[in-house]
Amino acid sequence: MKRMTSCFLVVLLTCVGGAIALTPGVALSATCEKWAGKVVSLQGTVDAKVAGGTEWQPAKMNDTYCPGDTLRTGRRSRAEVALENHPILRLDESSTITFGGMKDKRTSLIDMLSGAALFFSRVTRNLEVRTATVNAGVEGTEFFIRVEEGKTELSIFEGKVLASNEAGSLAVVSGQSAVAEAGKAPVYRVVVRPRDAVRWALYYPPVIDSRSADIKEDSNDPRFYIYRASQLLAVGRVDEATADIDRAQGIDPKNSDAFALRSIIAVTQNEKEKALDLANKAVEADPKSPTARIALSYAQQASFDLPGALSSVEEAVKLGPENALAWARLAELRQSFGRLEEALDAAKKASALNPDLSRTQTVLGFSYLTRIETNQAKAAFEKAIGLDQADPLPRLGLGLAKIREGNLEEGRRELEIAITLDPGNGLLRSYLGKAYYEEKRDDLAKGQFDMAKTLDPLDPTPYFYDAIRKQTVNRPVEALHDLQKAIELNDNRAVYRSRLLLDQDLAARSASLGRIYSDLGFQQRALVEGWKSVNTDPSNYSAHRFLADSYSALPRHEIARVSELLQSQLLQPMNITPVQPHLAESNLLAIAGGGPGDPSFNEFNPLFNRDRLALQANGIVGEHSTVGEEVVFSGLHKKVS
């Protein structure tokens, strides 16, 4: 097997929110005919060894490896690897795997030697994991595996795994866990909260904008422990980070930054009241601290107080006008209020203050993305990924940008990587499910929507998208139930959207509900929902379009139909939904086009209106020489539809 060496980059954690500093060196690069694995994200110390070799070389992002090569992570380190046939795995600290190549030309083989990993596979029988005590044959699933001396533990989050060894076999399905010990058949194991096993994979947003040169190692300086705790959170080591926060508060019990970090931990672990209490203590301890105000903004946002969050971060900017994280956070919240121009200005300010901070590049990318300036957005996201490979947000943004440009498969792949970077994020699951829906992979879409509902039962997004999916596959009654649930939960989006945008969302959901009533034959009820949608938000183009479709089926409603259709066409944003044919009733592409029409931070439904062309044709033949046809052609390209 031919090998070659090239320049490499040793990855070191820096002090800024887990960003990555790069220094030159040498790394191995696979030149086999077909690589077995590719590193798509790493943090800390990650090394690789070629098959049959003895020397370990540092790994870097986008390195590829051949069958027989071995990859390992050091202490306080993580790595994410994409396999040749699309499964993704994420390695915890102190883990070692060997790439086994392909089996039967379709199944990737992984030898898990030690440590823990989260596996994400979406194709049946395309992954097999082998350990010293068990083989795990994957049926298209998401699962966690931990290998210790003499035993292997499994927890299945979705799908099915067949765990087998010489002593027996066991089918483990969603929500179940199992353990296999040396010389014994696998057996079920009761785990109350199996997702706690992957807490190391969670993402904690940065709140401290500091520099390593500002802080020296000093056991009597609380700033050192706070700095180190923020670094530990950046690699998911929450227990060790908490210990350092305890040390800092042992020296300074009223340390504001310590309270701020505890608040961020509580926000990430969905302890909203605790997060708000800790953030307020941070502000009380140091009213002039921008860090405390940033932490308070996250806690307020988690508690559905979006105006309060915006006010807090505006105060943070006043207190720390040179604080890049404060400006980045301001850009996020301005997007949540639909103030896209002001958000872009804040994002540019953040990037100018600290262009080497991943968060500033991420919000800059989203600011461009909401303006459908995808080239600039992709450049910012790619830079953010290089600066902090553990952050799921730039992966999400890059995926959405690719989808908007019409590259659905590439975009969906980025969303899958984002999921493994933050597996407990229900919103990411909803958007991945939406991507699967666009690919017409119904079972996979359903699985992601179900997981999103479980992870965040109060978010209307998965219910809304699942309703669209069910309506598309001719299950209107189930779609009706899901859409009613989405409308009931609509105001829970206040964590991301302002009151005005929430009203627009409600109008869009009501229009979709009216369309389902129409499909069920409840024409009058459908009209009522259409009128309600227009009254809630007169600028909602989908509501006007729905009324136009409804009026076209009613006698003596031609003037009303033309009026509603004209308003819809004047108000509609760029989308693939064609104009209504004048000679027949038609709902062409209207189902998939439903949903919020204005993008904002964490509301990206409009971006799935990707660049493409659509052609649909219908015909009818009847008695007495009755013949009719309808051909509709529509398209979307960048800012022209």
Side-chain angles (χ1 to χ4, degrees):
M1 184 178 297
K2 187 178 179 181
R3 300 280 179 178
M4 63 179 293
T5 58
S6 62
C7 291
F8 81 91
L9 302 173
V10 178
V11 182
L12 298 172
L13 285 173
T14 72
C15 59
V16 186
I20 303 299
L22 304 172
T23 58
V26 179
L28 64 90
S29 179
T31 56
C32 45
E33 184 177 347
K34 281 190 176 182
W35 54 265
K38 178 180 181 180
V39 176
V40 295
S41 170
L42 53 79
Q43 290 177 289
T45 303
V46 181
D47 299 315
K49 181 175 65 176
V50 301
T54 59
E55 184 178 355
W56 292 94
Q57 297 280 359
K60 69 177 188 297
M61 190 169 71
N62 295 325
D63 274 352
T64 56
Y65 298 99
C66 297
D69 291 352
T70 301
L71 193 72
R72 72 179 183 186
T73 56
R75 186 168 178 263
R76 297 175 178 172
S77 304
R78 297 183 293 190
E80 184 160 349
V81 180
L83 303 182
E84 177 194 350
N85 59 335
H86 298 307
I88 300 172
L89 63 100
R90 194 169 193 209
L91 294 174
D92 192 11
E93 66 172 354
S94 305
S95 299
T96 304
I97 62 168
T98 296
F99 299 101
M102 297 292 292
K103 172 184 175 183
D104 301 328
K105 296 183 179 181
R106 61 174 295 181
T107 304
S108 287
L109 300 177
I110 291 293
D111 292 314
M112 189 85 189
L113 307 181
S114 63
L118 177 67
F119 289 85
F120 189 91
S121 174
R122 284 294 172 263
V123 180
T124 302
R125 297 185 181 89
N126 73 336
L127 174 64
E128 183 177 327
V129 183
R130 304 180 297 199
T131 75
T133 60
V134 72
N135 290 347
V138 180
E139 297 291 327
T141 189
E142 182 175 342
F143 70 101
F144 167 77
I145 188 169
R146 181 182 297 280
V147 177
E148 299 176 353
E149 187 174 354
K151 72 174 182 179
T152 300
E153 299 174 359
L154 285 167
S155 288
I156 313 303
F157 303 130
E158 182 189 9
K160 178 182 178 181
V161 167
L162 180 64
S164 62
N165 57 22
E166 294 180 354
S169 62
L170 185 70
V172 192
V173 299
S174 301
Q176 293 183 332
S177 299
V179 61
E181 298 183 6
K184 299 180 182 179
V187 295
Y188 291 116
R189 178 184 180 190
V190 177
V191 178
V192 178
R193 299 176 63 182
R195 284 200 174 271
D196 283 353
V198 292
R199 285 205 306 170
W200 54 270
L202 296 179
Y203 176 74
Y204 296 84
V207 292
I208 298 178
D209 182 14
S210 57
R211 306 289 187 275
S212 58
D214 299 335
I215 304 169
K216 297 180 180 179
E217 184 171 352
D218 185 348
S219 60
N220 294 317
D221 187 350
R223 295 182 306 160
F224 165 70
Y225 293 112
I226 293 300
Y227 157 67
R228 193 167 70 178
S230 67
Q231 282 194 311
L232 289 167
L233 286 179
V235 291
R237 314 319 306 178
V238 64
D239 293 335
E240 296 176 60
T242 301
D244 269 353
I245 296 172
D246 290 340
R247 294 186 184 100
Q249 290 193 302
I251 300 170
D252 179 8
K254 294 186 177 181
N255 188 285
S256 176
D257 288 347
F259 284 120
L261 287 181
R262 289 190 192 278
S263 177
I264 289 299
I265 293 173
V267 167
T268 303
Q269 297 181 358
N270 203 30
E271 298 174 331
K272 299 174 184 177
E273 293 183 4
K274 180 180 178 182
L276 193 58
D277 178 62
L278 289 166
N280 282 320
K281 288 181 179 178
V283 174
E284 291 172 7
D286 187 356
K288 296 184 178 181
S289 167
T291 297
R293 302 285 178 173
I294 295 172
L296 180 59
S297 75
Y298 279 110
Q300 289 170 318
Q301 184 177 8
S303 298
F304 303 99
D305 182 10
L306 208 56
L310 179 60
S311 177
S312 292
V313 81
E314 286 174 341
E315 185 64 25
V317 169
K318 291 178 183 177
L319 293 169
E322 302 301 312
N323 189 303
L325 273 179
W327 282 99
R329 181 73 177 133
L330 180 61
E332 290 180 23
L333 291 170
R334 282 178 174 175
Q335 286 184 40
S336 295
F337 282 84
R339 295 155 57 180
L340 302 185
E341 290 292 337
E342 295 176 52
L344 179 60
D345 291 341
K348 288 180 177 178
K349 177 70 173 179
S351 180
L353 287 171
N354 192 347
D356 296 325
L357 183 61
S358 173
R359 199 69 173 190
T360 64
Q361 297 302 320
T362 298
V363 296
L364 181 61
F366 279 115
S367 295
Y368 283 129
L369 189 58
T370 55
R371 296 162 55 89
I372 320 298
E373 297 177 0
T374 53
N375 289 333
Q376 297 94 320
K378 288 192 298 182
F381 289 135
E382 287 167 354
K383 184 174 181 179
I385 290 169
L387 293 168
D388 185 0
Q389 298 173 33
D391 190 345
L393 286 180
R395 288 286 184 180
L396 169 65
L398 183 59
L400 293 169
K402 290 181 176 181
I403 289 173
R404 180 61 182 80
E405 290 183 333
N407 299 320
L408 181 57
E409 183 178 354
E410 291 182 25
R412 182 259 304 159
R413 186 67 170 161
E414 295 292 342
L415 298 187
E416 289 177 337
I417 294 174
I419 287 289
T420 59
L421 292 174
D422 194 4
N425 190 315
L427 191 66
L428 290 178
R429 301 277 180 182
S430 294
Y431 285 120
L432 179 58
K434 172 74 167 171
Y436 285 140
Y437 166 80
E438 295 288 338
E439 290 182 313
K440 297 179 173 57
R441 302 167 74 182
D442 187 69
D443 289 343
L444 296 182
K446 177 183 181 301
Q448 291 304 306
F449 294 146
D450 288 346
M451 291 188 71
K453 293 172 187 176
T454 301
L455 290 169
D456 191 353
L458 299 179
D459 185 3
T461 307
Y463 292 97
F464 178 67
Y465 285 151
D466 206 15
I468 293 175
R469 180 189 69 83
K470 289 172 179 174
Q471 188 180 7
T472 304
V473 296
N474 198 28
R475 294 161 62 185
V477 175
E478 295 177 50
L480 176 63
H481 292 160
D482 270 355
L483 198 49
Q484 288 173 329
K485 185 68 173 180
I487 291 174
E488 176 188 330
L489 298 174
N490 185 73
D491 282 2
N492 289 333
R493 291 286 284 166
V495 72
Y496 303 127
R497 308 270 278 177
S498 69
R499 182 70 259 170
L500 176 62
L501 295 181
L502 285 175
D503 287 344
Q504 294 176 4
D505 296 351
L506 180 60
R509 301 188 205 285
S510 296
S512 297
L513 181 62
R515 195 169 300 282
I516 293 177
Y517 279 131
S518 181
D519 289 347
L520 288 170
F522 303 149
Q523 193 65 40
Q524 188 60 37
R525 179 69 182 183
L527 285 172
V528 170
E529 290 297 333
W531 296 330
K532 183 190 298 183
S533 178
V534 170
N535 288 334
T536 302
D537 179 15
S539 66
N540 186 279
Y541 85 96
S542 59
H544 290 289
R545 172 59 189 267
F546 168 69
L547 284 177
D549 287 347
S550 298
Y551 288 148
S552 66
L554 298 177
R556 304 177 67 179
H557 278 71
E558 183 65 17
I559 294 176
R561 185 193 72 81
V562 172
S563 173
E564 293 296 336
L565 183 59
L566 176 60
Q567 292 180 72
S568 173
Q569 292 170 348
L570 291 173
L571 293 168
Q572 72 178 23
M574 295 176 297
N575 63 79
I576 196 69
T577 305
V579 298
Q580 186 190 61
H582 286 267
L583 299 180
E585 176 188 4
S586 177
N587 292 333
L588 296 177
L589 299 177
I591 295 175
D598 291 330
S600 70
F601 201 75
N602 282 330
E603 178 50 71
F604 308 113
N605 179 76
L607 300 175
F608 283 90
N609 289 320
R610 61 192 184 279
D611 290 355
R612 55 178 171 147
L613 299 175
L615 177 66
Q616 295 194 6
N618 297 315
I620 184 172
V621 178
E623 296 178 344
H624 305 295
S625 301
T626 300
V627 178
E629 68 280 335
E630 173 182 281
V631 179
V632 180
F633 178 78
S634 60
L636 177 65
H637 180 70
K638 297 190 182 298
K639 294 188 176 182
V640 178
S641 63

